Amino acid sequence: MTEEETYDGIGIADLRVDSVSWTPAQAEHVRTRSGRYPGAFDIEPEWATEAALNPGRRFGLDPASKSGEGIRVIGRSEAAGRALTVILIPEEHPPAGAWPGVTAWAARGRDLREHEAHEIGYEAGDEDEAEGGGTSR
């Protein structure tokens, strides 16, 4: 997730994520992941929202977005006891801070490694690391 990325002309580091909402269908989708993916972690929408709004979150464009609208947010949910990857789309263009949730899963692989590296810097109070590179306001 790089600082050079932009979304609707807004630098990724300047995107606001102030609220996350879930439709009943999307809430059911994240709650029932294990029914589609054996062994997957089922996620409460509130946990995904907590992760997406976590001050130590990281985000960037979602490389798997079919519409090109999605952003990928990686943040820790204390309620879930782990870092989660949350996919959001904007409520409006350009985005003003409200984002509907699309899906979420337990962070793994590169997402988890990048989040953990950033979280260590954030917790240590390294403001350059904590404030840049896709950390939102």
Side-chain angles (χ1 to χ4, degrees), residues 48-134:
T49 297
E50 178 189 13
L53 298 178
N54 184 301
R57 69 192 168 203
R58 299 277 293 171
F59 61 83
L61 302 176
D62 178 22
S65 176
K66 293 178 181 144
S67 68
E69 289 191 294
I71 63 169
R72 183 176 290 208
V73 183
I74 301 100
R76 180 148 185 85
S77 165
E78 293 302 323
R82 63 187 66 204
L84 302 176
T85 298
V86 185
I87 306 300
L88 307 173
I89 57 171
E91 193 167 279
E92 60 188 340
H93 289 280
W99 297 79
V102 175
T103 192
W105 59 84
R108 60 187 182 276
R110 182 178 179 180
D111 286 349
L112 183 58
R113 286 189 304 275
E114 286 183 3
H115 172 72
E116 288 173 342
H118 173 74
E119 194 172 55
I120 291 167
Y122 185 81
E123 290 173 357
D126 181 347
E127 296 197 18
D128 290 336
E129 176 66 21
E131 305 259 341

Side-chain angles (χ1 to χ4, degrees), residues 5-77:
E5 294 176 317
T6 62
Y7 191 101
D8 279 357
I10 301 169
I12 291 295
D14 295 324
L15 276 178
R16 290 180 38 210
V17 179
D18 300 326
S19 66
V20 176
S21 59
W22 297 87
T23 66
Q26 293 312 119
E28 184 66 14
H29 175 77
V30 297
R31 282 186 181 115
T32 58
R33 289 188 58 77
S34 64
R36 292 183 309 281
Y37 308 105
F41 183 69
D42 292 328
I43 296 171
E44 288 299 319
E46 295 82 9
W47 301 346
T49 297
E50 178 189 13
L53 298 178
N54 184 301
R57 69 192 168 203
R58 299 277 293 171
F59 61 83
L61 302 176
D62 178 22
S65 176
K66 293 178 181 144
S67 68
E69 289 191 294
I71 63 169
R72 183 176 290 208
V73 183
I74 301 100
R76 180 148 185 85
S77 165

